[in-house]
Short mmCIF file of all heavy atoms in Angstrom, two decimals:
data_model
loop_
_atom_site.label_atom_id
_atom_site.label_comp_id
_atom_site.label_asym_id
_atom_site.label_seq_id
_atom_site.Cartn_x
_atom_site.Cartn_y
_atom_site.Cartn_z
N ILE I 19 69.44 102.19 102.20
CA ILE I 19 70.15 102.97 103.20
C ILE I 19 70.03 102.26 104.55
O ILE I 19 68.93 101.86 104.95
CB ILE I 19 69.59 104.40 103.29
CG1 ILE I 19 69.87 105.13 101.98
CG2 ILE I 19 70.16 105.15 104.48
CD1 ILE I 19 69.19 106.47 101.87
N MET I 20 71.15 102.12 105.23
CA MET I 20 71.18 101.51 106.55
C MET I 20 71.60 102.60 107.53
O MET I 20 72.74 103.05 107.52
CB MET I 20 72.17 100.35 106.55
CG MET I 20 72.10 99.52 107.77
SD MET I 20 73.00 98.00 107.48
CE MET I 20 73.19 97.49 109.15
N LYS I 21 70.65 103.04 108.37
CA LYS I 21 70.88 104.17 109.26
C LYS I 21 71.06 103.69 110.69
O LYS I 21 70.27 102.89 111.19
CB LYS I 21 69.71 105.15 109.18
CG LYS I 21 69.92 106.40 109.98
CD LYS I 21 68.87 107.43 109.70
CE LYS I 21 69.20 108.71 110.44
NZ LYS I 21 68.29 109.78 110.13
N ASN I 22 72.09 104.21 111.36
CA ASN I 22 72.33 103.90 112.76
C ASN I 22 71.46 104.82 113.61
O ASN I 22 71.71 106.01 113.69
CB ASN I 22 73.81 104.09 113.10
CG ASN I 22 74.13 103.70 114.52
OD1 ASN I 22 73.25 103.38 115.30
ND2 ASN I 22 75.41 103.74 114.86
N VAL I 23 70.42 104.26 114.21
CA VAL I 23 69.51 105.05 115.04
C VAL I 23 69.83 104.89 116.53
O VAL I 23 69.06 105.34 117.38
CB VAL I 23 68.03 104.69 114.77
CG1 VAL I 23 67.64 105.08 113.36
CG2 VAL I 23 67.79 103.21 115.01
N GLY I 24 70.96 104.25 116.84
CA GLY I 24 71.38 104.08 118.23
C GLY I 24 72.13 105.31 118.73
O GLY I 24 72.23 106.34 118.05
N VAL I 25 72.68 105.20 119.94
CA VAL I 25 73.42 106.30 120.54
C VAL I 25 74.93 106.08 120.49
O VAL I 25 75.69 106.97 120.83
CB VAL I 25 72.98 106.55 122.01
CG1 VAL I 25 71.54 106.99 122.05
CG2 VAL I 25 73.21 105.33 122.86
N ASN I 26 75.37 104.91 120.09
CA ASN I 26 76.80 104.60 119.97
C ASN I 26 77.11 104.21 118.53
O ASN I 26 76.23 103.86 117.76
CB ASN I 26 77.16 103.41 120.88
CG ASN I 26 76.98 103.73 122.34
OD1 ASN I 26 77.22 104.85 122.78
ND2 ASN I 26 76.52 102.75 123.09
N PHE I 27 78.41 104.24 118.19
CA PHE I 27 78.77 103.72 116.88
C PHE I 27 78.60 102.21 116.90
O PHE I 27 78.74 101.57 117.94
CB PHE I 27 80.18 104.16 116.48
CG PHE I 27 81.29 103.42 117.16
CD1 PHE I 27 81.79 102.25 116.60
CD2 PHE I 27 81.83 103.86 118.35
CE1 PHE I 27 82.81 101.55 117.21
CE2 PHE I 27 82.84 103.18 118.97
CZ PHE I 27 83.34 102.02 118.41
N SER I 28 78.25 101.65 115.76
CA SER I 28 78.02 100.22 115.66
C SER I 28 78.66 99.68 114.40
O SER I 28 78.86 100.39 113.42
CB SER I 28 76.51 99.92 115.62
OG SER I 28 75.92 100.19 116.85
N ARG I 29 78.94 98.41 114.44
CA ARG I 29 79.52 97.71 113.29
C ARG I 29 78.49 96.73 112.74
O ARG I 29 77.59 96.29 113.44
CB ARG I 29 80.78 96.96 113.69
CG ARG I 29 81.87 97.85 114.20
CD ARG I 29 83.09 97.02 114.61
NE ARG I 29 84.09 97.85 115.22
CZ ARG I 29 84.99 98.55 114.55
NH1 ARG I 29 85.00 98.52 113.24
NH2 ARG I 29 85.88 99.29 115.18
N PHE I 30 78.69 96.36 111.49
CA PHE I 30 77.82 95.38 110.86
C PHE I 30 78.60 94.68 109.76
O PHE I 30 79.66 95.14 109.34
CB PHE I 30 76.56 96.04 110.28
CG PHE I 30 76.83 96.85 109.04
CD1 PHE I 30 76.63 96.29 107.78
CD2 PHE I 30 77.30 98.15 109.12
CE1 PHE I 30 76.89 97.02 106.64
CE2 PHE I 30 77.56 98.88 107.98
CZ PHE I 30 77.36 98.32 106.74
N ARG I 31 78.06 93.56 109.32
CA ARG I 31 78.59 92.89 108.14
C ARG I 31 77.43 92.21 107.44
O ARG I 31 76.42 91.88 108.06
CB ARG I 31 79.71 91.92 108.46
CG ARG I 31 79.34 90.68 109.18
CD ARG I 31 80.57 89.80 109.45
NE ARG I 31 80.19 88.59 110.12
CZ ARG I 31 79.80 87.48 109.51
NH1 ARG I 31 79.74 87.43 108.21
NH2 ARG I 31 79.46 86.40 110.20
N VAL I 32 77.59 92.03 106.14
CA VAL I 32 76.53 91.44 105.33
C VAL I 32 76.95 90.03 104.93
O VAL I 32 78.05 89.83 104.43
CB VAL I 32 76.25 92.29 104.07
CG1 VAL I 32 75.20 91.63 103.20
CG2 VAL I 32 75.83 93.69 104.46
N LYS I 33 76.07 89.08 105.17
CA LYS I 33 76.30 87.70 104.72
C LYS I 33 75.84 87.64 103.27
O LYS I 33 74.65 87.80 102.97
CB LYS I 33 75.50 86.75 105.60
CG LYS I 33 75.78 85.30 105.33
CD LYS I 33 75.03 84.44 106.34
CE LYS I 33 75.24 82.98 106.05
NZ LYS I 33 74.47 82.13 106.96
N GLN I 34 76.79 87.45 102.37
CA GLN I 34 76.49 87.47 100.93
C GLN I 34 75.55 86.31 100.57
O GLN I 34 75.71 85.20 101.05
CB GLN I 34 77.76 87.37 100.10
CG GLN I 34 78.65 88.60 100.19
CD GLN I 34 78.02 89.83 99.54
OE1 GLN I 34 77.17 89.74 98.67
NE2 GLN I 34 78.45 91.00 100.00
N PRO I 35 74.55 86.59 99.73
CA PRO I 35 73.61 85.53 99.30
C PRO I 35 74.34 84.48 98.45
O PRO I 35 75.39 84.76 97.87
CB PRO I 35 72.60 86.29 98.44
CG PRO I 35 72.78 87.72 98.74
CD PRO I 35 74.19 87.89 99.20
N PRO I 36 73.78 83.27 98.36
CA PRO I 36 74.40 82.24 97.53
C PRO I 36 74.40 82.64 96.05
O PRO I 36 73.52 83.38 95.60
CB PRO I 36 73.53 81.00 97.77
CG PRO I 36 72.31 81.47 98.47
CD PRO I 36 72.60 82.80 99.05
N PRO I 37 75.39 82.16 95.29
CA PRO I 37 75.53 82.57 93.89
C PRO I 37 74.33 82.23 93.00
O PRO I 37 74.04 82.95 92.05
CB PRO I 37 76.77 81.82 93.41
CG PRO I 37 77.50 81.44 94.63
CD PRO I 37 76.49 81.32 95.73
N HIS I 38 73.60 81.15 93.30
CA HIS I 38 72.49 80.75 92.43
C HIS I 38 71.34 81.75 92.44
O HIS I 38 70.50 81.74 91.56
CB HIS I 38 71.98 79.35 92.81
CG HIS I 38 71.28 79.28 94.13
ND1 HIS I 38 69.96 79.60 94.29
CD2 HIS I 38 71.73 78.93 95.35
CE1 HIS I 38 69.62 79.45 95.56
NE2 HIS I 38 70.68 79.05 96.23
N THR I 39 71.28 82.66 93.44
CA THR I 39 70.23 83.67 93.48
C THR I 39 70.52 84.82 92.52
O THR I 39 69.60 85.55 92.14
CB THR I 39 70.07 84.26 94.90
OG1 THR I 39 71.30 84.88 95.28
CG2 THR I 39 69.68 83.19 95.89
N GLY I 40 71.79 85.00 92.14
CA GLY I 40 72.17 86.12 91.28
C GLY I 40 72.32 87.42 92.04
O GLY I 40 72.58 88.46 91.45
N LEU I 41 72.16 87.38 93.36
CA LEU I 41 72.24 88.59 94.19
C LEU I 41 73.67 88.83 94.70
O LEU I 41 74.40 87.88 94.97
CB LEU I 41 71.30 88.49 95.39
CG LEU I 41 69.81 88.56 95.08
CD1 LEU I 41 69.01 88.11 96.28
CD2 LEU I 41 69.45 89.97 94.70
N ARG I 42 74.00 90.11 94.86
CA ARG I 42 75.28 90.50 95.43
C ARG I 42 75.07 91.82 96.17
O ARG I 42 74.34 92.69 95.69
CB ARG I 42 76.32 90.66 94.33
CG ARG I 42 77.72 90.88 94.85
CD ARG I 42 78.70 90.78 93.73
NE ARG I 42 78.60 91.96 92.88
CZ ARG I 42 79.53 92.33 92.02
NH1 ARG I 42 80.61 91.60 91.87
NH2 ARG I 42 79.38 93.41 91.30
N VAL I 43 75.70 91.97 97.33
CA VAL I 43 75.59 93.20 98.11
C VAL I 43 76.95 93.86 98.18
O VAL I 43 77.93 93.23 98.59
CB VAL I 43 75.06 92.92 99.54
CG1 VAL I 43 74.90 94.22 100.32
CG2 VAL I 43 73.75 92.16 99.49
N MET I 44 77.01 95.12 97.76
CA MET I 44 78.26 95.87 97.80
C MET I 44 78.12 96.99 98.82
O MET I 44 77.13 97.73 98.80
CB MET I 44 78.60 96.42 96.42
CG MET I 44 78.92 95.31 95.43
SD MET I 44 79.11 95.89 93.77
CE MET I 44 77.43 96.25 93.36
N TYR I 45 79.10 97.10 99.72
CA TYR I 45 79.08 98.12 100.76
C TYR I 45 80.50 98.38 101.24
O TYR I 45 81.41 97.61 100.96
CB TYR I 45 78.19 97.68 101.94
CG TYR I 45 78.72 96.49 102.71
CD1 TYR I 45 79.38 96.66 103.92
CD2 TYR I 45 78.56 95.19 102.24
CE1 TYR I 45 79.87 95.57 104.63
CE2 TYR I 45 79.03 94.11 102.93
CZ TYR I 45 79.68 94.30 104.13
OH TYR I 45 80.16 93.23 104.83
N THR I 46 80.66 99.46 101.99
CA THR I 46 81.95 99.80 102.58
C THR I 46 81.92 99.38 104.04
O THR I 46 81.13 99.92 104.82
CB THR I 46 82.21 101.31 102.48
OG1 THR I 46 82.09 101.70 101.11
CG2 THR I 46 83.58 101.66 103.01
N PRO I 47 82.77 98.41 104.44
CA PRO I 47 82.76 97.97 105.83
C PRO I 47 83.38 99.02 106.76
O PRO I 47 84.11 99.90 106.32
CB PRO I 47 83.60 96.69 105.81
CG PRO I 47 84.45 96.82 104.60
CD PRO I 47 83.70 97.66 103.62
N GLY I 48 83.05 98.90 108.04
CA GLY I 48 83.59 99.81 109.03
C GLY I 48 82.51 100.25 110.00
O GLY I 48 81.34 99.98 109.80
N PRO I 49 82.91 100.96 111.08
CA PRO I 49 81.92 101.41 112.06
C PRO I 49 81.05 102.53 111.50
O PRO I 49 81.48 103.30 110.64
CB PRO I 49 82.77 101.91 113.23
CG PRO I 49 84.08 102.26 112.62
CD PRO I 49 84.26 101.33 111.46
#
């Protein structure tokens, strides 16, 4: 869970890990 503890809306993006790690991050983009 990624919680916005600030006082304004904020944006973020995830830099996907390289394929050799076998990792993948799935999320819904937006503020």
Side-chain angles (χ1 to χ4, degrees):
I19 294 172
M20 190 167 163
K21 185 170 185 175
N22 184 354
V23 294
V25 296
N26 296 324
F27 76 89
S28 291
R29 298 179 186 276
F30 73 96
R31 70 180 181 87
V32 177
K33 187 175 177 183
Q34 291 292 336
H38 69 83
T39 61
L41 290 166
R42 188 169 73 162
V43 183
M44 293 172 287
Y45 67 100
T46 305

